[in-house]
Amino acid sequence: MNDFETYILKLDVQEGLVSAPLDTANRASFFGDGVFETMIFTGGKIRFMAEHAARLEEGLHTLKIQASPLSIPAIEAYLREHFSAKQNLRVRWNVYRSGLGKYTPNQNAAENLLIIQPMEAPAAIKKNAYVSRELSVPTTVWSHCKTLNALTYVMANIERKELGMDEVILLSDKGFVAEAGTANIFWRKDNTYYTPSLACNCIAGVGRRKIIEQLQRKGLPLVEGQFGLEEVLEAEQVFTSNVTGVVYIAQLEGKNFCTDPIPQVTEIFK
């Protein structure tokens, strides 16, 4: 062990400290230095392929990481070859900066990692939601990006679980409603739909984008902006969305809401 650049050890319960593969050390695990896409493979295709590709490109550009040599069509082709086209799969695509370095990277090329799991449909309704008073979504240049540094959402969902709640709503560091623990948030009042703008530090969700496009296509009023919690509590209906679908909130901060499905919204994810 006298001549080496990096030596990686891990703790084995039975053997103690043992050598670990060098790729265990990477900028994803050390710094959360990258972005990811959670995609749904259904009917032999990646749903919302173009939107995922666009968001990934934007995220890599924001983090100054070079374009990935892997493409969504290549991923889709692999899934069709190795899995049944009838299977519904959840595909997480991590793209992170190559090399190691310390805080300062020694290169900007992209590395890729795919995690493929059976798709589990989300619950149609979440009964109890609350607003976190301990955690908020910070303002950064990459607030809208789906980065590998997701500690805010990890801690929010730990808090939610400890409180025995079904959903957590997060505010921005300026006090505006931002998003839910793993999803964007929408609400409806007087036949007008509302959702926080990206200025509220919410993730630029693919599901969010598709809902906004659908509402505009249907000619339904939609307002993106900066809203306080009181404006959500005045709504008739509140729902969250991510790429897996839509979930309706039955109760938030003691206020009850309608949970009847909205056909114009739910049909997007079929």
Side-chain angles (χ1 to χ4, degrees):
M1 292 178 58
N2 293 325
D3 298 318
F4 65 94
E5 293 184 3
T6 303
Y7 197 81
I8 309 297
L9 298 173
K10 67 178 181 179
L11 180 62
D12 183 278
V13 176
Q14 296 178 333
E15 300 183 38
L17 290 173
V18 298
S19 179
L22 284 179
D23 61 6
T24 302
N26 56 64
R27 294 192 64 85
S29 61
F30 276 28
F31 305 108
D33 186 6
V35 295
F36 72 97
E37 291 294 318
T38 300
M39 306 180 294
I40 303 303
F41 178 78
T42 183
K45 296 182 178 180
I46 296 286
R47 180 196 286 165
F48 309 146
M49 178 190 289
E51 290 78 10
H52 282 296
R55 184 171 66 173
L56 182 77
E57 181 180 358
E58 162 65 16
L60 293 176
H61 175 77
T62 299
L63 298 188
K64 303 183 187 300
I65 299 174
Q66 295 170 9
S68 170
L70 182 62
S71 68
I72 294 181
I75 295 172
E76 189 179 72
Y78 178 92
L79 295 173
R80 280 198 297 263
E81 180 180 353
H82 292 84
F83 297 86
S84 168
K86 296 181 180 180
Q87 284 184 274
N88 294 327
L89 303 173
R90 182 182 187 272
V91 183
R92 173 166 168 147
W93 180 17
N94 288 3
V95 185
Y96 56 93
R97 201 182 317 264
S98 295
L100 198 55
K102 297 182 174 61
Y103 287 116
T104 304
N106 52 29
Q107 58 180 291
N108 293 309
E111 293 282 351
N112 296 270
L113 181 69
L114 291 174
I115 303 96
I116 302 167
Q117 299 171 308
M119 165 63 182
E120 295 182 5
I125 298 171
K126 290 190 175 179
K127 294 181 179 180
N128 296 303
Y130 76 104
V131 176
S132 178
R133 267 70 182 186
E134 297 294 326
L135 299 160
S136 61
V137 186
T139 301
T140 65
V141 173
W142 53 86
S143 297
H144 65 293
C145 299
K146 203 170 178 68
T147 74
L148 294 176
N149 187 346
L151 196 55
T152 297
Y153 308 101
V154 171
M155 297 305 296
N157 281 285
I158 289 174
E159 179 188 80
R160 174 193 60 75
K161 187 175 180 180
E162 289 176 343
L163 294 174
M165 302 296 283
D166 300 313
E167 184 61 276
V168 54
I169 304 302
L170 296 167
L171 306 180
S172 73
D173 53 10
K174 296 180 177 63
F176 297 111
V177 174
E179 56 195 341
T182 61
N184 293 112
I185 185 170
F186 288 79
W187 58 97
R188 179 180 59 82
K189 179 183 177 183
D190 298 331
N191 294 319
T192 296
Y193 291 84
Y194 299 84
T195 194
S197 70
L198 297 184
C200 298
N201 304 343
C202 63
I203 299 292
V206 166
R208 173 185 183 274
R209 175 175 171 177
K210 298 302 291 186
I211 290 172
I212 290 173
E213 290 175 354
Q214 174 82 331
L215 294 175
Q216 292 172 338
R217 187 162 47 246
K218 298 285 186 178
L220 297 170
L222 168 70
V223 180
E224 292 183 72
Q226 296 177 318
F227 306 100
L229 175 61
E230 66 281 357
E231 294 175 85
V232 181
L233 296 177
E234 292 173 355
E236 297 149 18
Q237 194 162 24
V238 179
F239 60 93
T240 65
S241 73
N242 58 31
V243 74
T244 65
V246 172
V247 177
Y248 297 90
I249 301 297
Q251 187 179 88
L252 172 62
E253 300 284 284
K255 167 71 183 297
N256 294 319
F257 299 96
C258 172
T259 57
D260 295 338
I262 304 171
Q264 299 94 324
V265 173
T266 55
E267 68 185 24
I268 299 171
F269 300 92
K270 293 182 179 179

